[in-house]
Short mmCIF file of all heavy atoms in Angstrom, two decimals:
data_model
loop_
_atom_site.label_atom_id
_atom_site.label_comp_id
_atom_site.label_asym_id
_atom_site.label_seq_id
_atom_site.Cartn_x
_atom_site.Cartn_y
_atom_site.Cartn_z
N SER D 39 119.72 14.19 54.49
CA SER D 39 119.39 13.97 55.92
C SER D 39 118.45 12.95 56.18
O SER D 39 118.42 12.23 57.26
CB SER D 39 119.09 15.32 56.58
OG SER D 39 117.92 15.72 56.01
N SER D 198 111.72 16.76 54.45
CA SER D 198 112.85 17.45 55.27
C SER D 198 112.99 16.77 56.48
O SER D 198 112.39 15.75 56.77
CB SER D 198 112.45 18.95 55.38
OG SER D 198 113.57 19.62 56.01
N ASP D 199 113.86 17.29 57.35
CA ASP D 199 114.18 16.73 58.63
C ASP D 199 113.27 17.46 59.78
O ASP D 199 113.57 17.26 60.86
CB ASP D 199 115.64 16.76 59.04
CG ASP D 199 116.14 18.22 59.13
OD1 ASP D 199 115.42 19.14 58.82
OD2 ASP D 199 117.33 18.45 59.43
N ILE D 200 112.27 18.22 59.28
CA ILE D 200 111.46 19.06 60.16
C ILE D 200 110.04 18.92 59.73
O ILE D 200 109.78 18.72 58.48
CB ILE D 200 112.06 20.43 60.25
CG1 ILE D 200 111.38 21.21 61.37
CG2 ILE D 200 111.91 21.24 58.94
CD1 ILE D 200 112.36 22.16 62.16
N GLY D 202 107.68 21.06 59.13
CA GLY D 202 107.10 22.08 58.18
C GLY D 202 107.96 23.42 58.36
O GLY D 202 109.01 23.37 58.93
N PHE D 203 107.40 24.48 57.84
CA PHE D 203 108.01 25.72 57.97
C PHE D 203 107.40 26.50 59.16
O PHE D 203 106.27 26.66 59.34
CB PHE D 203 107.85 26.58 56.69
CG PHE D 203 108.46 27.91 56.68
CD1 PHE D 203 109.82 28.02 56.81
CD2 PHE D 203 107.75 29.12 56.62
CE1 PHE D 203 110.55 29.21 56.83
CE2 PHE D 203 108.43 30.30 56.65
CZ PHE D 203 109.86 30.31 56.77
N TYR D 204 108.32 27.02 60.04
CA TYR D 204 107.95 27.67 61.23
C TYR D 204 108.25 29.19 61.34
O TYR D 204 109.04 29.56 60.46
CB TYR D 204 108.69 26.94 62.50
CG TYR D 204 108.33 25.59 62.83
CD1 TYR D 204 108.66 24.59 62.07
CD2 TYR D 204 107.55 25.39 64.00
CE1 TYR D 204 108.18 23.21 62.36
CE2 TYR D 204 107.12 24.07 64.32
CZ TYR D 204 107.56 23.10 63.48
OH TYR D 204 107.17 21.74 63.86
N ASN D 207 113.11 29.34 63.59
CA ASN D 207 113.73 27.96 63.59
C ASN D 207 113.48 27.27 64.98
O ASN D 207 113.87 27.83 66.00
CB ASN D 207 115.35 28.05 63.42
CG ASN D 207 115.93 26.70 63.35
OD1 ASN D 207 115.36 25.68 63.58
ND2 ASN D 207 117.25 26.74 63.10
N LEU D 209 114.67 24.92 66.50
CA LEU D 209 115.89 24.51 67.26
C LEU D 209 116.36 25.66 68.09
O LEU D 209 116.86 25.52 69.24
CB LEU D 209 117.02 24.17 66.29
CG LEU D 209 116.97 22.90 65.52
CD1 LEU D 209 118.24 22.62 64.63
CD2 LEU D 209 116.76 21.73 66.39
N LEU D 230 112.36 34.80 57.97
CA LEU D 230 112.06 33.76 58.96
C LEU D 230 112.92 32.50 58.66
O LEU D 230 113.12 31.71 59.64
CB LEU D 230 110.59 33.42 58.99
CG LEU D 230 109.66 34.56 59.28
CD1 LEU D 230 108.24 34.03 59.34
CD2 LEU D 230 110.02 35.24 60.65
N GLY D 242 118.83 24.16 53.79
CA GLY D 242 117.87 24.46 54.82
C GLY D 242 116.65 25.04 54.24
O GLY D 242 116.29 24.81 53.11
N MET D 243 116.07 25.88 55.05
CA MET D 243 114.70 26.45 54.75
C MET D 243 114.67 27.45 53.63
O MET D 243 113.75 27.63 52.92
CB MET D 243 114.12 27.07 56.05
CG MET D 243 113.49 26.03 56.99
SD MET D 243 112.23 25.08 56.19
CE MET D 243 112.79 23.47 56.61
N LYS D 246 114.30 25.94 50.37
CA LYS D 246 113.02 25.35 50.21
C LYS D 246 111.97 26.44 49.98
O LYS D 246 110.97 26.16 49.21
CB LYS D 246 112.68 24.75 51.57
CG LYS D 246 113.44 23.30 51.58
CD LYS D 246 113.37 22.58 52.88
CE LYS D 246 114.26 21.27 52.94
NZ LYS D 246 115.60 21.46 52.49
P1 ADP O 13 117.00 18.91 54.53
O1 ADP O 13 115.88 18.21 55.29
O2 ADP O 13 116.73 19.01 53.14
O3 ADP O 13 118.42 18.28 54.85
P2 ADP O 13 117.98 21.04 56.15
O4 ADP O 13 118.43 20.21 57.26
O5 ADP O 13 119.08 21.84 55.33
O6 ADP O 13 117.09 20.42 55.17
O7 ADP O 13 117.00 22.25 56.56
C1 ADP O 13 116.10 21.98 57.63
C2 ADP O 13 116.45 22.74 58.91
O8 ADP O 13 116.24 24.27 58.72
C3 ADP O 13 115.61 22.41 60.13
O9 ADP O 13 115.94 21.34 60.85
C4 ADP O 13 115.69 23.66 60.88
O10 ADP O 13 116.71 23.52 61.89
C5 ADP O 13 116.20 24.78 59.92
N1 ADP O 13 115.36 26.00 59.94
C6 ADP O 13 115.74 27.28 59.94
N2 ADP O 13 114.67 28.12 59.95
C7 ADP O 13 113.62 27.32 60.04
C8 ADP O 13 112.17 27.74 60.04
N3 ADP O 13 111.83 28.91 60.01
N4 ADP O 13 111.29 26.57 60.00
C9 ADP O 13 111.75 25.37 59.97
N5 ADP O 13 113.08 24.96 59.96
C10 ADP O 13 114.00 26.03 60.01
#
Side-chain angles (χ1 to χ4, degrees):
S39 63
S198 185
D199 62 354
I200 192 144
F203 182 63
Y204 288 74
N207 185 353
L209 290 184
L230 300 183
M243 283 300 132
K246 286 170 181 52

